[in-house]
Amino acid sequence: MNNHEHDVLTLMSYLSSSEIDDDELINYIIKQPVIRPKISNFISNVVHSYSDKQFKGSFRMERATAYYLIKTFEDSSFFPQQHKYEPGKTSENYILSYIWFSANKSCLRDVAERFGNGLTTQFRINDRVMNFLIDISPKVINFDEGITNLAREFKKVSGMPHVIGCIDGTSIPIRTPAHKIKSTYTNRHDMPSITLQGVCDYKKKFIDVFTGIPAKIHDARVFVLSDLSKDLPSMCEKKYNLLGDGAYPIREWLLVPYKDYGRLTESQKTFNKTLSSTRVLIENTFGLLKSRFRQLLQLDIHSVDKITKFIISSCVLHNLCIDMDDHIELRDEENEELLNGPDDTVFETDMLLKKNGETKRDAIKNSMQYQ
């Protein structure tokens, strides 16, 4: 093979590689070397030297969890094939750089330079890892544990019968998406945000998530727009139910507290207290999610599609951490800072569904009274 043929093959490899920055490609073609300062061998020289405590402090997850993800990603179709003339990035670089971006309030340029990647390369790395996490999300976020087992474990936690999950919504602050009007996404605090609706189990794992709706839309409306609202009636079979706050309409499959106008009976107060002490699990779940993945405190991504992918990817990582007993402490004051207070407005829709829900709530309240 002569030098010309070698150059042609090398150029074709560059063109087909997703690991090459556009500016690097241009400079390769015109034969001008580019000197771009980067941190040299950050993973091998620094990360590999971290103690387990230092690793978790930097990446907000255990080393074993991160390297399980690395192995799983490397075995997936989302890890790009290595090129003969351009080795590309390792799966370790992919996962660790993405986790660093998610867990710390770092801009993309800072992450790219830290891990020795070009800015465009880091952008593509994040895309590949998010697509990988979205692909495995149905295996990680689901009701596969079984309705009966969920209800049994919730009964141990709270004493309330037939509960399979707790539902709530939280606002994820964002930059106004590209080519969008800010007022479309502003919440009641006049901040552009997107709502994440989540349902958690007794272990504070997500068993259902729904996002992408502007935070100015009420939680009850977000629930109606989600697939969960259509699946719950048949899933719960008039026996099981979720627990929600006053933002949701009461149904047979969705119980909320009694409205307090100053005339609640003692049994109604007891019911409300028990429901609230159980439903706090979803607030704690959101708190843990935002505490572990600090990027969610102010998400600096321009595309709505990628915003939703990042949020769901964070929920997938949250569940994987819990599955591997990788826990993170959350102080009460930190939890309060991370979450938004509930909106007490209730939208009434179908009066028959409401009445059936109230009848079921009264029956559970009375059964608790005589236990």
Side-chain angles (χ1 to χ4, degrees):
M1 180 184 296
N2 58 37
N3 291 337
H4 176 70
E5 291 174 335
H6 179 271
D7 288 346
V8 169
L9 287 174
T10 304
L11 179 58
M12 290 175 65
S13 175
Y14 266 69
L15 290 170
S16 62
S17 173
S18 63
E19 310 305 318
I20 306 303
D21 287 334
D22 296 337
D23 51 354
E24 290 177 349
L25 177 60
I26 292 171
N27 281 282
Y28 174 82
I29 293 173
I30 62 177
K31 302 295 184 180
Q32 290 184 0
V34 177
I35 300 175
R36 175 177 292 169
K38 299 174 185 176
I39 296 176
S40 178
N41 301 320
F42 176 71
I43 293 177
S44 58
N45 292 343
V46 180
V47 176
H48 289 174
S49 300
Y50 279 160
S51 66
D52 289 342
K53 183 177 180 180
Q54 289 171 330
F55 186 95
K56 187 164 186 176
S58 295
F59 291 93
R60 310 289 287 178
M61 68 173 59
E62 302 281 358
R63 194 190 301 269
T65 308
Y67 279 85
Y68 166 79
L69 276 167
I70 290 168
K71 180 65 169 62
T72 306
F73 176 73
E74 187 172 346
D75 293 340
S76 75
S77 61
F78 294 90
F79 181 56
Q81 296 295 318
Q82 301 298 305
H83 291 269
K84 180 179 179 181
Y85 299 102
E86 179 61 36
K89 305 298 180 182
T90 64
S91 58
E92 187 179 32
N93 188 299
Y94 268 79
I95 297 298
L96 292 183
S97 63
Y98 179 80
I99 294 174
W100 187 285
F101 173 75
S102 302
N104 300 284
K105 281 304 298 175
S106 301
C107 66
L108 201 63
R109 185 178 298 277
D110 173 72
V111 177
E113 291 180 355
R114 183 180 298 274
F115 286 86
N117 302 323
L119 185 59
T120 306
T121 298
Q122 188 62 53
F123 184 84
R124 291 168 176 162
I125 283 174
N126 283 10
D127 272 357
R128 279 189 180 273
V129 177
M130 282 193 292
N131 289 334
F132 160 70
L133 293 171
I134 294 296
D135 184 67
I136 66 173
S137 62
K139 301 176 183 177
V140 180
I141 303 175
N142 52 54
F143 285 85
D144 284 357
E145 186 170 344
I147 301 297
T148 304
N149 188 64
L150 287 170
R152 182 172 58 249
E153 295 300 327
F154 261 108
K155 182 75 178 295
K156 295 176 183 178
V157 171
S158 66
M160 291 193 72
H162 311 312
V163 176
I164 60 172
C166 302
I167 186 171
D168 202 0
T170 187
S171 290
I172 307 295
I174 61 172
R175 287 185 61 175
T176 302
H179 313 300
K180 302 291 183 181
I181 300 173
K182 179 180 178 180
S183 60
T184 305
Y185 289 87
T186 52
N187 60 14
R188 64 182 184 275
H189 301 298
D190 199 34
M191 294 176 56
S193 308
I194 276 182
T195 294
L196 167 62
Q197 175 186 280
V199 180
C200 76
D201 66 6
Y202 58 95
K203 294 184 291 187
K204 302 177 186 176
K205 277 182 58 177
F206 289 106
I207 52 179
D208 187 86
V209 292
F210 175 69
T211 190
I213 305 297
K216 72 181 301 177
I217 297 177
H218 191 271
D219 282 354
R221 180 61 181 162
V222 174
F223 175 67
V224 170
L225 293 172
S226 68
D227 291 336
L228 182 66
S229 65
K230 304 171 184 62
D231 297 337
L232 270 179
S234 59
M235 185 188 303
C236 293
E237 301 174 342
K238 295 188 176 182
K239 179 180 180 181
Y240 300 103
N241 52 262
L242 300 180
L243 299 182
D245 62 13
Y248 295 96
I250 185 168
R251 297 289 184 264
E252 283 184 279
W253 56 86
L254 176 56
L255 299 186
V256 300
Y258 288 95
K259 292 300 251 182
D260 188 356
Y261 300 109
R263 292 179 293 182
L264 291 182
T265 65
E266 286 303 316
S267 57
Q268 288 174 330
K269 290 179 182 178
T270 300
F271 176 87
N272 280 1
K273 183 176 180 180
T274 305
L275 185 148
S276 297
S277 64
T278 307
R279 199 194 62 78
V280 76
L281 286 172
I282 185 61
E283 296 182 359
N284 291 339
T285 302
F286 286 141
L288 290 169
L289 177 73
K290 293 182 180 181
S291 178
R292 193 187 293 270
F293 304 110
R294 311 293 290 187
Q295 199 68 232
L296 292 173
L297 297 179
Q298 180 65 54
L299 198 49
D300 192 14
I301 298 177
H302 295 279
S303 162
V304 175
D305 178 61
K306 289 184 179 178
I307 288 171
T308 57
K309 281 185 177 181
F310 181 85
I311 294 172
I312 294 176
S313 297
S314 299
C315 295
V316 171
L317 291 175
H318 168 89
N319 277 14
L320 288 172
C321 288
I322 292 179
D323 285 340
M324 298 193 69
D325 293 324
D326 182 353
H327 302 291
I328 189 170
E329 296 296 327
L330 181 62
R331 300 185 301 273
D332 291 340
E333 60 271 20
E334 187 177 22
N335 188 37
E336 200 167 311
E337 177 186 350
L338 293 171
L339 296 173
N340 297 307
D343 189 334
D344 291 331
T345 307
V346 178
F347 291 144
E348 305 297 350
T349 53
D350 191 323
M351 295 304 295
L352 177 61
L353 293 175
K354 178 187 174 187
K355 183 177 179 180
N356 290 341
E358 290 174 341
T359 300
K360 182 176 182 180
R361 180 175 64 184
D362 288 338
I364 293 177
K365 180 260 297 181
N366 293 332
S367 69
M368 291 169 58
Q369 182 179 3
Y370 294 110
Q371 284 180 355

